[in-house]
Amino acid sequence: MKGAVFVCVLAVIAVVVVADPPKPMWPSSFQSFFHTVWESHGRQMDISGKQYYDYRQKAERFEVQDPRTPSTFDIIIRDYKGMKEYQVLNDETICIVKSLNHSMPVFDFSVFEYLGSAYVDGQMCDHWREDIQGAVDYYDSADAHNPVRVQSSSPQGGSETTDWFQFVPGPQDPILFYIDPAWKCTPHQEVAHSHSPLVMHKPVRVN
């Protein structure tokens, strides 16, 4: 009898050890610093800054270090209710408004498979992957399950890696997404002699 109980206990322990963690859930709101490296056919773009995301408000804000003047930051605000993107550039001296062509980014983890534990910059993470139209590897922190890294590649050869750090979940202040009339934003097609809009980070899957 004792032997049977011992075997049952071992079986329960084995189930606990091999059971996969619950699938990730994309946070509804957060702020975090991020670093994105994008590569395609010999071209590379390196972007660092801070991201504010609030799905309930249907809005995102990026404060991105200007590669031409590292001491200043460009601001990008995406209003998914009005489907507009506002790019406030050159220390708020230029504001471009353009139409958005995608819905608010949200990962769909239903098709991701668990690959095990992995360290990302010394942090223990759960590693997930989907490989439908190019591989997407997603790492979330093993303790708080916050996004840590996403790596994607396309069959055409492009790749993108984004790291999040100092991640703080929670609702964002609406003032972050306020469009200041003093910016005097101008539709993109009417702006002359402005530099090309920055390519901004966005998660690979959209809702």
Side-chain angles (χ1 to χ4, degrees):
M1 181 64 180
K2 290 183 178 179
V5 172
F6 182 70
V7 171
C8 290
V9 171
L10 286 179
V12 171
I13 293 174
V15 170
V16 172
V17 170
V18 301
D20 292 349
K23 287 199 173 186
M25 294 183 63
W26 186 250
S28 61
S29 55
F30 65 86
Q31 60 177 267
S32 180
F33 291 95
F34 73 92
H35 178 218
T36 294
V37 177
W38 172 85
E39 295 180 290
S40 179
H41 304 292
R43 297 179 298 158
Q44 179 173 312
M45 181 172 289
D46 192 308
I47 303 173
S48 296
K50 192 167 186 180
Q51 178 183 9
Y52 304 85
Y53 177 103
D54 199 308
Y55 189 80
R56 295 182 181 89
Q57 298 187 61
K58 293 292 191 295
E60 284 184 293
R61 176 186 174 113
F62 299 87
E63 296 170 358
V64 182
Q65 191 174 42
D66 190 329
R68 299 158 303 167
T69 54
S71 61
T72 63
F73 286 81
D74 292 334
I75 299 171
I76 285 80
I77 297 176
R78 290 176 175 163
D79 170 18
Y80 291 96
K81 292 179 181 178
M83 294 302 290
K84 299 292 185 183
E85 176 177 286
Y86 300 85
Q87 301 179 357
V88 187
L89 313 172
N90 293 352
D91 200 21
E92 300 187 9
T93 59
I94 295 175
C95 180
I96 298 168
V97 58
K98 54 189 290 189
S99 297
L100 285 170
N101 60 4
H102 60 85
S103 55
M104 192 165 186
V106 178
F107 273 100
D108 175 11
F109 293 107
S110 62
V111 295
F112 278 67
E113 295 183 357
Y114 179 62
L115 297 186
S117 299
Y119 280 97
V120 176
D121 293 333
Q123 183 174 4
M124 177 62 75
C125 297
D126 292 324
H127 181 191
W128 305 84
R129 175 180 290 172
E130 67 97 339
D131 195 0
I132 298 176
Q133 296 178 342
V136 179
D137 289 278
Y138 177 82
Y139 303 83
D140 61 340
S141 57
D143 51 0
H145 302 292
N146 292 326
V148 174
R149 173 176 290 173
V150 61
Q151 294 176 304
S152 63
S153 60
S154 69
Q156 292 75 30
S159 66
E160 181 179 334
T161 299
T162 295
D163 292 323
W164 289 273
F165 49 99
Q166 297 183 34
F167 190 96
V168 181
Q172 301 303 298
D173 191 332
I175 196 65
L176 290 165
F177 312 116
Y178 174 70
I179 307 303
D180 191 337
W183 291 338
K184 298 180 179 179
C185 298
T186 308
H188 179 241
Q189 62 269 23
E190 298 178 12
V191 174
H193 310 299
S194 65
H195 66 281
S196 298
L198 293 172
V199 177
M200 293 303 306
H201 155 77
K202 58 179 180 294
V204 182
R205 292 290 177 265
V206 295
N207 60 334

